[in-house]
Amino acid sequence: MKKWKVASALFTVVALGIGLTACGNQHDSSKSTASSSTSSQPSYQLASSSAKLDPASLTPKQNAAVVMFYAGVKNHQRYVQQMNKSGQQLTIDLYSPGDAKKAGVSGKLPAGAEVVYEAKLANAGSTYYTLVGDQTYISDGHGGFRKKGATTAEMVKVANQNNAGDALCQLAENASLNDLRTDGTNVNNQQGNTASNNNAATASSMGPQGKARAAMNADPNIDPEFKRRINLPPDDPDYIQPTHDPDSWR
């Protein structure tokens, strides 16, 4: 009787082992099938590992690099694979809405758009986008804009998932910025004037807010912290619209 129980127990263990192995093989098979079904999709991984980007601390040029990467992924653009190449050059051009065609736009701009940005890589590709509030609207790949905007956090998440942080920071470090607006909002774009370049990359056009910002920056009696916050990108949590009463933010 004891021998029969031992034999029975051994048979149960063996059966379980076979069952588990079959599950493992089935899982491996499904992984292989899934892998083969997606092997035709382009890979946007720029490195095996990379520093993670923080959406709250991007510089304007880093933000442009992130937007270009995000737009390339969403529109399945081959230029994405060129963004980690040594010596690659990123150029950021700013256009007035009336000159949007120069950036490649043929469709309507999103309501509220005041600046059109074109980000391009030397001999690799380009894209355009615009900002409305805290939303970035990217090219739809057909001359227009995608209907749904994206936040900086959403775009940074895609970049981090693809280990793109190091490559995008390198691109931003060597990027050139050209303010080509022709509606009276052009900012003096001297190479050594980093502050002006950064502000130009994220500021709205010189409408009421732009004029208020310029006046407040020139006023020596306004709190420096307030000036800092009105010059932040609009999607920054600390950003304050320059049309606000300078004393209301306290």
Side-chain angles (χ1 to χ4, degrees), residues 129-209:
Y129 61 96
T130 189
L131 302 176
V132 179
D134 66 346
Q135 299 291 307
T136 298
Y137 291 86
I138 64 172
S139 161
D140 63 4
H142 302 286
F145 290 87
R146 286 179 173 250
K147 293 182 178 180
K148 185 179 180 182
T151 63
T152 301
E154 291 176 75
M155 295 186 290
V156 165
K157 181 179 180 180
V158 172
N160 285 337
Q161 287 173 339
N162 288 281
N163 294 325
D166 290 340
L168 298 185
C169 285
Q170 184 63 39
L171 277 176
E173 183 177 346
N174 299 316
S176 61
L177 175 68
N178 305 302
D179 190 347
L180 305 176
R181 289 176 285 178
T182 58
D183 58 0
T185 64
N186 189 283
V187 177
N188 185 20
N189 189 25
Q190 296 179 354
Q191 290 296 322
N193 195 342
T194 304
S196 293
N197 288 349
N198 286 349
N199 290 338
T202 54
S204 300
S205 64
M206 195 70 94
Q209 289 187 13

Side-chain angles (χ1 to χ4, degrees), residues 66-80:
V66 168
V67 176
M68 186 175 192
F69 180 85
Y70 178 82
V73 171
K74 291 298 180 180
N75 292 324
H76 307 294
Q77 297 296 311
R78 293 182 178 179
Y79 71 68
V80 175

